[in-house]
Amino acid sequence: MSSGREESDFNKEEAEAKSIELERKLSHSYYLLQYIIEHDHSIAVLDRSLRYMYVSKRFLSDYKVTETEILGKNHYEVFPTLPEKWKEAHRKALSGEVVSSDEDSFVNINGNYEWVKWECRPWYEADQSIGGIILYTETITKYKEAEIELTNAKERAEESNRLKTAFLQNISHEVRTPLNSIVGFAELLADPSQSIQKRNSFSKIISANSQKLIRIISDVIEISQIQSKQLKVVMSEFDIVSLLYKVADTFRELTQLKGIDFIIDQKINVEEANIVSDKGKIEKIFFHLIDNAVKFTKRGTIKIETFIEGQDFHFAIYDTGIGIEREKQEIIFDPFRQLETGLSRNYGGTGLGLTIVKAFTESLKGNLTLKSEENSGTSILINVPVSLESIEKPESKKQKTGKEETNTILIAEDEYSNFKYLYEVLHSEKLEIIHANNGKEAVDICRRNDDIKMILMDLKMPVMDGTTAAKQIKEFREELPIIAQTAYIPDEEKIKKVFDDLIAKPIRRSDLLQMISRYISIPDLVSDSQH
């Protein structure tokens, strides 16, 4: 009896032990599954052969697979392109290590970079032997891309500040250099002991440096318009061949001094020369491209080719200059970029020319192509769509006067020095000049004086501005030509609704006389200005 009882007790203890072991296994499976369920991340449980046992819903979603596609399959069978570094992490985990990374990248099946935070750790059987590994991954691509973009933005901002600082230092030098000549030779010009020959020489130097200063200021104004997206296209009819030669002729003396062959291969027929486009922008494109070619060419040749094909004007300029490094060709059109920086520069300039050329070309719906090799020269090709149909010219508003009749011009200008300059340019036996200090005075004078044949009207004046004054005068003298003059960036379309014409300050004598001659007869003055 006792033997049977002992056997029964043994069987009972064995059953209890098996029950406890089963409970431990169930408990282990429960906590394993609970770990997967409670984490809103991509989690996969693999056995020692790296076959999938359990996966989280997030894992299925992130990696775009289904349970039936992966459960029971080997990890490397599902993801055959896994990098070796992750296979090494799996081996370490199977040997008992916990391996992790806060950020890691890989190329997904679409060929795009993905960023993940991951951990690979062993999991244990009830007997504490390693049963396999748990993979935990969290996709952090969006966060990483935002971080990279923030870093890049910071670097771009620092680079932009560096470029702007260098630009301001450079522009200070570029402005002060001609200004120094203007101020210095103006003082010498006032010295009565100087000979006439020297005074004439000083005047030419002052004029040349004044034009250089005007171009620098114009470049800065134009780059501000470009960056604020305020570029406007003003179409007019003009002779593009004459414009090209006019710009090119300003560089003839310099190319001769440097011993450079300056060739213009012009293939535009006389019938095609008159085009419709934005004359000001085309002129600036010519100027900056020729200026750059002359500046960066020490010897050799500069060649320009032009032709019209269909409705496109083609302009190409080739030089044998220093060329542009390949890595700089992408950024050379960015604002404030220059081939050289610092105080030991070999070449002057503001660094805005090519930026303006590219922006003007694009505003005219054209294309620009640059080809260059360092120390072998540069070629720039531009094509701009143009119209060959003439714009219907408005009927001339020139006042019909007798040959001996004296014409009267009213100059509305609050700055006396500006009025004095215009007076010196215009006064003659056949031109009477009247001065108004503001717009209201101009209106009152026009009401009293019917002899006034034309008005030069400054836009910004005290009491009454020029635009308001012009509108009031047009109400009772509609046929009276009024030319706007301004130092501000004008909206030409709005101005031409009120005024007959516009001339921008600083005003050149020849430009002023040619404009006035469209409206009244001043043959002697125009003739003198052309000599």
Side-chain angles (χ1 to χ4, degrees), residues 445-488:
I445 291 171
C446 285
R447 289 188 188 278
R448 297 193 306 265
N449 192 338
D450 293 333
D451 293 333
I452 294 172
K453 297 296 189 298
M454 197 192 73
I455 303 174
L456 286 173
M457 182 81 75
D458 188 31
L459 293 184
K460 185 178 180 297
M461 291 184 291
V463 185
M464 181 186 290
D465 65 87
T467 303
T468 303
K471 287 179 180 177
Q472 291 190 13
I473 292 169
K474 286 290 187 179
E475 288 176 2
F476 60 89
R477 292 283 302 273
E478 185 181 359
E479 81 294 343
L480 182 62
I482 306 178
I483 297 175
Q485 48 164 332
T486 180
Y488 289 84

Side-chain angles (χ1 to χ4, degrees), residues 289-290 293 302-305 315-319 378-381:
L289 289 180
I290 299 173
I302 295 172
K303 184 179 180 181
I304 294 172
E305 292 181 357
F315 174 91
I317 183 165
Y318 310 89
D319 67 60
T378 301
S379 65
I380 297 179
L381 295 82

